[in-house]
Each structure stands twice: as C-alpha cells, then as structure tokens.
C-alpha cells in the first residue's frame, strides 16, 4: 500500500505528517511513501531528504491524493482536499469529529475509512506510543514558556550583579496536564519561581517533582474526569478558584493557562479585572486560545497588550517548533501503522476488536462509527467474606497459612536443641565457633533480604553488596596458598567451594552496582 503525505494548506501550519527518519521505517514495513513537493519545506525538511530516505515526490496535491491508499495529515482536510479523495482510502490525522460534524458527513459520503488521532483512548497504557495529543501538548507547553520569556523582556532567574540585584520572575501555570507540566519544567529550568494549580489533586507531586509549588484551592472537590482529563467543577469550587487566581494575578509576573476539556469551550479563568490588577509588563500566554481562551481579553491568533499586560493568544504553538513537532507526530503515526500492520507486509488491517484502534476509527468504509463505545473496565474482585478472612488469619489444620500449633512448635525447638547439644558435645571448638557464625549469618541474611517486601528488592541490591563483599573475603581466605600465611592448604573440596562462592558473589556485586546505577539514572535529567 502507498502512504501519501500532502502539504498542509491550513494558514500558518508549518508541520508535516512525517519526516525522513520515519519514512525509512515505513519502507521497512513494506509501504511505499510519496510526499507532495515542498511538504516539509516549512519544517526545514527538503524533498531531497525524503528521496534519500526512500520516498518519492508527487508534483501536485491532486497526484498525491489520487495515488495514495493511506493519507497522513496533521490538520483536518479542507473541502477541496476531501474532493480529491476516493473510495476505499484511509485518512489518518487530527479530525476532531465532535467539532466537525459536517466533515464527518463529507468523508462518509466518500466511503473512506478515517482514523482521528485525537480520539485515541488515552487511558490505555499501550496507546501511549501513539498519543499525538500528548506529544503536541508537550511541545506547546515548552513553546509557551519561550513566548512568555520573549514578551516578558526580563530575566527569569534571580541574579546579583555589580549593577544591582535582579529578582526571579514569578510564573503561575493554570492547569498541570501534559502542557502544563512541560511549561513548569521549562520555566523552572530557566530559574523562575513556578507555581501551578490543577483541579486534580493527584498531580501535586508531579508539580513539585518538576521544581514547582502546587497552589491548592481552598475547597474540597475531586477534579479527575474520564479519559485522563479534568472535569467541570461545581460553582462553589469555581468561586474559590477565581479567588485564588485573583491573588496569583497580583503577585505573579507571568501566567500560562492550559485549561481545556475536549469538545467544550475553554473555561474563563482570568477575568478582565484580574488582568488589570497585574503589574505593568506582565505576560499571559493563553494556550486555550483556539477554543476561545481562558482569559476574557484573549484574541485568538494574536498577541495584544491590555492594561499594560501582554496577552499571547497564539493558536500555533506546536507549529512554531515545526521540525520537533513533525518528528514526534511522525513517530506517533508510525507506531499506529505498526499496530495496523502487524504482519509487516505493507497492508493495514483496521481491527475493530482492538480497543485502541476502535477508539481511533471514526469512519469505517463510509460508515460513521464515532463515538466509540466506552471501554469495558474489568470488574474489581469481589471482597472475601469476613469468615474466610478470619479463617485464613487464624485457622489451623492442613493447608492453613495460620500460626504453627504449640505442640508442633515445641517439637521443632526440642529437635533443634538436641541437634545443638550433639554438635557442642562432639564437634571441635573451632567448628562450633564457625557454626555459630554461620547460623547468625543465615538469620541476618533472612532478615535483611528475604524478609523485605519484593517492591524494595531493586534498591536493596546496593545494600546486599556489603554482605557479598564479606563472603568474598571469607572465600579468599580459604583459597589462599600456604605461603600467604595459612597454617596449611585447605583440601580441594573447600577450595572449589570457595571458588564457587567468589564467582557467585562477584555476579551479585557487579549486578547490584549495575542495577543501582540504572535506578539512579532514572532520577537524573
């Protein structure tokens, strides 16, 4: 099958749906790739780069659409582009079916199959590699900080210079989703004092981990909605939230808003009065401008100055980093194609039994299939009856995990005491000392390693290296030759046991250090 990548014709759109590095991978899957002439020019990707990667170049949009089985798009197609489509074609891109019902009818009339990348069920863990919304939100959040820094005109970090002291900028971020977290990380890395708020209390730890301070609304209400998004909050919560925003507007130099719920207008978080209360020279970057904006004074697509405050309402933040965005988006589409073409023979199969693919598919062979049915959540295991729990905790008898009966426990201790008496009565004194150390070592090893929760076994690897080093020293003492200070060379059995001990503990030691290093790398930027 042939994949076509047309040039985006939406005003100001610089992204392209795939890049040369991804073209190489698509070709290996068995697909032909054709790119419209100049499709990647605004993202600094030349036609020659696509040709070197294995793609061909179509001279016009008409030639590309007519000769492609699958079309990769960024923006939803226009009426002119829909007119170029043919029956049986597959379209993949941001289609926004809830906002574009007319487009859905036009595509259905063409009897095509349409996969809307924005309809991906984001709650599926295996769908993360295809989640283009997250990829674009991350780029937009980073770019929002860059735009804010450009409009602010002062340092983000505090400095003490010969010319005087410069205080750090104070940045408040409304909404700690993917875009908000990206903005928090970027602003904190520039040295600003970063504060953030979100209706979902569980993101507080994420905000702090990125160097921000979580500002809580003085109102108790859970804000988690379906699909990984926030929900619409109650009037009481919104009133308390507005009060908190008003306070932050007076104190902060920069506000970045990210609040959006799919299919609904952007909530108005920053009022005109709040803007008027901000210090002259302050900046607001409204990332929800395309859906009306979170600020009452936002003008979508423009940067305006109101009451001495610059309000940035750009709707193309991801497009302003076109090459980076195109690379991430192209990778997301490649991961989707991998799911559609598991046979790696260049032929896709839109499997409607697959939850991720079913969620993406808004039109199948001309039939509108959006919205997808809700995902089936596996039922929680039924709680065990109280009687069964009590029996498990305190029951006795065969197969019971309860405590050992008193009579059996007494017999075990009696046999153990008899064994110790026999060893003490007939064994050499030196052996008895070593045997005591061995028993204590077994007990300590059990308490330090085996008795620890399995979730802590990985960080425990570094601690057990100390124990392993003691074992190595003991084994080396046993394997040393007589001239090294031993009273006599140990017999061959002891030497081989000592050698095996050195090998096994060496594996444990080096493995422990390797695991510990990988674990620490997870916390390094």
């Amino acid at each position: 099958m042939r994949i076509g990548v047309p040039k985006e014709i939406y005003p100001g759109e610089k992204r392209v749906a795939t890049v040369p590095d991804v073209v190489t991978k698509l070709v290996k899957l068995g697909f032909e790739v054709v790119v419209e002439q100049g499709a990647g020019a605004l993202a600094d990707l030349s036609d020659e780069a696509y040709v070197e990667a294995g793609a061909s170049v179509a001279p016009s949009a008409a030639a590309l659409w007519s000769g492609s089985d699958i079309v990769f798009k960024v923006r939803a197609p226009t009426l002119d582009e829909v007119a170029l489509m043919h029956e049986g074609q597959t379209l993949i891109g941001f289609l926004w079916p809830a906002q574009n019902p007319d487009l859905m009818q036009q595509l259905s009339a063409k009897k095509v199959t349409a996969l809307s990348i924005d309809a991906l069920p984001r709650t599926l863990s295996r769908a993360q590699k295809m989640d283009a919304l997250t990829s674009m939100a991350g780029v937009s959040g980073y770019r929002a900080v860059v735009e804010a820094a450009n409009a602010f005109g002062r340092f983000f970090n505090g400095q003490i210079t010969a010319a005087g002291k410069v205080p750090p900028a104070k940045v408040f971020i409304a909404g700690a989703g993917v875009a908000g977290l990206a903005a928090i990380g970027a602003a904190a890395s520039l040295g600003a004092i970063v504060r953030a708020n979100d209706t979902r209390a569980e993101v507080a730890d994420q905000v702090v981990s990125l160097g921000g301070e979580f500002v809580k609304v003085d109102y108790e209400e859970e804000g988690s909605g379906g699909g990984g998004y926030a929900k619409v909050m109650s009037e009481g919560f919104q009133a308390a939230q507005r009060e908190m925003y008003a306070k932050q507007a007076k104190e902060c130099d920069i506000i970045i808003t990210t609040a959006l719920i799919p299919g609904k207008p952007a909530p108005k978080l920053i009022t005109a009065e709040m803007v008027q209360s901000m210090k002259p020279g302050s900046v607001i970057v409204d990332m929800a401008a395309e859906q009306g904006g979170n600020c009452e004074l936002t003008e979508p697509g423009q940067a305006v100055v109101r009451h001495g405050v610059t309000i940035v309402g750009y709707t193309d933040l991801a497009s302003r980093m076109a090459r980076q965005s195109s690379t991430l988006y192209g990778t997301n589409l490649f991961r989707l194609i991998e799911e559609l073409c598991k046979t790696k023979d260049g032929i896709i199969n839109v499997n409607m039994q697959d939850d991720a693919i079913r969620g993406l598919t808004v039109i199948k062979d001309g039939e509108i299939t959006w919205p997808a049915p809700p995902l089936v959540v596996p039922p929680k295991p039924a709680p065990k009856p109280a009687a069964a729990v009590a029996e498990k905790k305190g029951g006795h008898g065969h197969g019971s995990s309860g405590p050992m009966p008193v009579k059996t426990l007494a017999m075990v201790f009696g046999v153990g005491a008899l064994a110790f008496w026999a060893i003490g009565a007939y064994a050499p004194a030196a052996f008895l000392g070593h045997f005591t150390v061995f028993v204590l070592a077994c007990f300590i090893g059990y308490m330090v390693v085996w008795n620890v929760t399995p979730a802590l076994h990985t960080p425990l690897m570094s601690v057990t290296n100390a124990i392993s080093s003691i074992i190595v020293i003991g084994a080396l003492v046993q394997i040393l030759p007589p001239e090294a200070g031993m009273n006599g060379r140990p017999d061959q059995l002891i030497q081989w046991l000592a050698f095996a001990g050195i090998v096994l503990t060496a594996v444990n030691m080096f493995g422990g250090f390797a695991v510990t290093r990988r674990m620490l790398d997870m916390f390094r930027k």
Side-chain angles (χ1 to χ4, degrees), residues 22 117 128-136 327-337:
V22 175
I117 198 71
Q128 292 178 358
K129 60 185 179 181
M130 302 178 278
D131 191 356
L133 278 176
T134 294
S135 299
M136 297 302 100
T327 300
L328 295 175
Y329 183 64
T331 303
N332 291 140
L333 294 191
F334 168 69
R335 297 303 181 190
L336 172 57
I337 287 294

Side-chain angles (χ1 to χ4, degrees), residues 8 16 67 79 108 126 134 184 188 194 227 231 257 267 273 293 351 365 408 417 438 442 447 460 523:
E8 297 295 325
V16 62
L79 291 177
S108 176
R126 68 182 187 85
T134 294
I184 292 168
V194 184
K231 71 174 185 180
T257 65
E273 290 77 13
N351 180 13
D365 298 328
T408 306
F438 172 75
C442 290
M447 297 303 296
L460 190 67
F523 299 95

